Amino acid sequence: MIGKKKDAPPKFNPSPGLVKLSYRLLMEDKAMVGVLAVGAAASTVALCAIIVPAWTIGHITPDPTHRGLRGLLVYAAAVWAVSVISVLSQGVVVAAAQIRCERGSPDLKRAAALAWSRRGPLAAWAAVSTVIALLMTLLQRLGIAGLIVRVLTGVAWSVATIFAVPILIAEGTGPGETTRRSFDVVKSKLGTVVRSNIRLALPWMVAMWLALMVAAAGGIAFAVGVGTGSVEAAVIGAPVLVAGVLAFLFCAATSTALSAFLDTLLYRYASGLPVPDIAPYDLPPAPAWS
């Protein structure tokens, strides 16, 4: 019919495809869950290695709000050590995702080598994260107003820097440029970022809550058994508690690995870079970063 408007092509929604692809990539690199688990264990060891001697030998409580300069320095050192290990372990997962997206075949050694090659920018980013964490903690001194500012600022910072590690691994930029670039990506694809992350995180959040409920039930049964001398309750409660804790840790590590893959895919999608199983004509044009 003359003058009739042609139907517009359907708008491409990358969220389901990117989430599904994150699962597929993780299934191809299952070792990445182990990398994050080892990173979490190493973070715990580093935390204890700093705090325990300071507390038992130096009699310093790592409290940045009420324990003076020494407490602030110990707290800062502990947070920085944990941040470095956490960022490096996430960097290994992101490196594996980057290699996959470039049609490579990563192994753990290759992904770790790529992440280690960015150790300078990653360590600098960990330092910035430490400063932000300290500022957030110091806001506790302002009471309710400080708590509100802390929550709002923390959420804003987390959202604005969600692509920090993918950008660091891909380009090795400094903290300032990394923050700006990450914010630009979030701003340009906010809807896709929010939908994709909710779609990915929701089932794992439910799973973690269920695991915590199982662990709590096991812990209560074990405590009651020990307190009342009921061997049956203690014997039943102990394995239930352990199973719940292990299930929570598995869900947390898997969810973190999936998020690292998803954030890498979202960064590449928003930047117009190749993404497996998504046709080039569905990708947005590569932005001219200034």
Side-chain angles (χ1 to χ4, degrees):
M1 183 176 178
I2 299 176
K4 184 180 179 180
K5 290 185 178 179
K6 293 183 179 180
D7 293 334
K11 189 176 181 180
F12 176 66
N13 178 14
S15 298
L18 292 176
V19 171
K20 184 177 179 180
L21 181 57
S22 299
Y23 277 93
R24 199 195 82 190
L25 292 179
L26 182 60
M27 290 303 293
E28 295 175 354
D29 291 304
K30 300 182 186 70
M32 296 302 113
V33 176
V35 168
L36 292 174
V38 171
S43 296
T44 303
V45 172
L47 185 68
C48 294
I50 294 173
I51 289 180
V52 172
W55 197 0
T56 58
I57 299 175
H59 305 290
I60 302 172
T61 301
D63 184 349
T65 56
H66 302 102
R67 299 294 178 177
L69 180 60
R70 294 195 304 168
L72 176 63
L73 292 177
V74 171
Y75 181 85
V79 172
W80 181 78
V82 170
S83 296
V84 168
I85 297 172
S86 176
V87 169
L88 278 173
S89 59
Q90 289 180 44
V92 174
V93 180
V94 169
Q98 292 278 19
I99 295 170
R100 286 283 180 193
C101 288
E102 296 293 340
R103 302 296 181 181
S105 180
D107 54 21
L108 181 56
K109 183 177 180 180
R110 186 178 176 189
L114 176 55
W116 185 248
S117 70
R118 302 297 194 189
R119 59 189 178 278
L122 290 172
W125 183 254
V128 171
S129 299
T130 299
V131 172
I132 297 298
L134 288 175
L135 292 176
M136 294 297 102
T137 303
L138 291 173
L139 285 172
Q140 292 178 359
R141 294 182 175 182
L142 301 180
I144 297 298
L147 177 61
I148 295 173
V149 173
R150 178 183 180 183
V151 171
L152 294 177
T153 305
V155 171
W157 174 257
S158 297
V159 173
T161 59
I162 193 171
F163 298 112
V165 178
I167 291 171
L168 287 167
I169 293 297
E171 305 170 36
T173 51
E177 180 66 11
T178 298
T179 302
R180 186 184 72 84
R181 293 281 298 277
S182 180
F183 177 73
D184 286 345
V185 173
V186 171
K187 185 172 62 173
S188 65
K189 297 294 176 185
L190 181 60
T192 299
V193 171
V194 172
R195 287 193 302 269
S196 299
N197 278 278
I198 290 177
R199 188 186 296 269
L200 178 71
L202 190 57
W204 290 101
M205 290 178 62
V206 173
M208 283 188 281
W209 274 108
L210 291 176
L212 285 177
M213 291 173 63
V214 170
I220 292 172
F222 180 75
V224 170
V226 172
T228 61
S230 173
V231 178
E232 293 84 358
V235 169
I236 292 173
V240 172
L241 171 62
V242 172
V245 171
L246 291 177
F248 175 82
L249 294 176
F250 171 78
C251 291
T254 304
S255 175
T256 303
L258 285 168
S259 295
F261 275 97
L262 177 62
D263 291 343
T264 303
L265 295 173
L266 283 167
Y267 157 70
R268 294 180 66 88
Y269 169 77
S271 302
L273 298 172
V275 178
D277 296 339
I278 293 182
Y281 52 78
D282 286 327
L283 294 173
W289 303 106
S290 58

